[in-house]
Amino acid sequence: QRTESEGKTSVEEWERWKPAKFAPSEQEAWMAKHGDDPRICRTNSDNGEIEVNINCPYDSLTASWKDENFKSGQQALESLQAHGFLDPSTPYSSEEETEIAFEIHKQWRIRNNWNNDDLSDEEQLRRDWWALEKDVRDRDYVVLRI
């Protein structure tokens, strides 16, 4: 059985292509600056949508993704502070780290509730988070550890 990473080059392994999210006035200027760089921008051959490699340098992200990265970082700091772990010399357990990572994900869901889901059920949010693939949950840990 072939694994997903077989046959990929080192560049392809870090690429994560997502449909571009542009502020109404942003697309033209962003495309003028990054549209010709195949490491950052491409057109989806199936639907013609512009896609962005979200693992590109911060300065190359669209404004909406820069804003989301900033908000995620703020959420990580607020969660660490709320749990009393803002001082790097204060150790925390893996259970505490998991709780903070969940909080980061929960706040992301609240900020980006495209489906207008009922986000008031904490236990359902927790079940949803644990149902995510491990690599998806790990993104919340990455935000926390940075």
Side-chain angles (χ1 to χ4, degrees), residues 5-127:
S5 63
E6 282 181 283
K8 290 186 176 180
T9 67
S10 60
V11 171
E12 290 170 324
E13 289 172 0
W14 64 263
E15 290 178 344
R16 301 246 352 254
W17 296 96
K18 300 283 182 187
K21 294 182 192 176
F22 293 107
S25 61
E26 175 189 16
Q27 183 170 349
E28 189 175 325
W30 189 90
M31 287 298 295
K33 185 174 181 182
H34 302 289
D36 293 331
D37 189 337
R39 298 167 301 158
I40 296 172
C41 181
R42 71 179 183 191
T43 301
N44 183 310
S45 59
D46 293 332
N47 60 22
E49 285 186 348
I50 297 169
E51 294 182 332
V52 176
N53 176 7
I54 62 170
N55 286 340
C56 66
Y58 180 82
D59 287 345
S60 299
L61 290 172
T62 64
S64 60
W65 276 326
K66 286 179 184 177
D67 184 55
E68 179 56 37
N69 283 352
F70 180 79
K71 288 176 180 175
S72 292
Q74 275 185 314
Q75 180 59 49
L77 286 173
E78 289 169 10
S79 295
L80 284 166
Q81 187 172 27
H83 288 81
F85 299 120
L86 203 51
D87 180 354
S89 66
T90 305
Y92 48 86
S93 68
S94 62
E95 292 83 11
E96 291 165 322
E97 181 181 42
T98 296
E99 185 60 29
I100 296 168
F102 166 73
E103 182 66 27
I104 291 167
H105 180 76
K106 181 175 85 171
Q107 294 303 319
W108 174 83
R109 289 273 315 266
I110 290 168
R111 283 193 308 275
N112 297 284
N113 189 7
W114 299 296
N115 298 326
N116 295 316
D117 296 329
D118 177 11
L119 301 176
S120 63
D121 185 347
E122 180 88 12
E123 289 307 310
Q124 183 60 50
L125 285 171
R126 206 171 285 281
R127 285 191 296 275

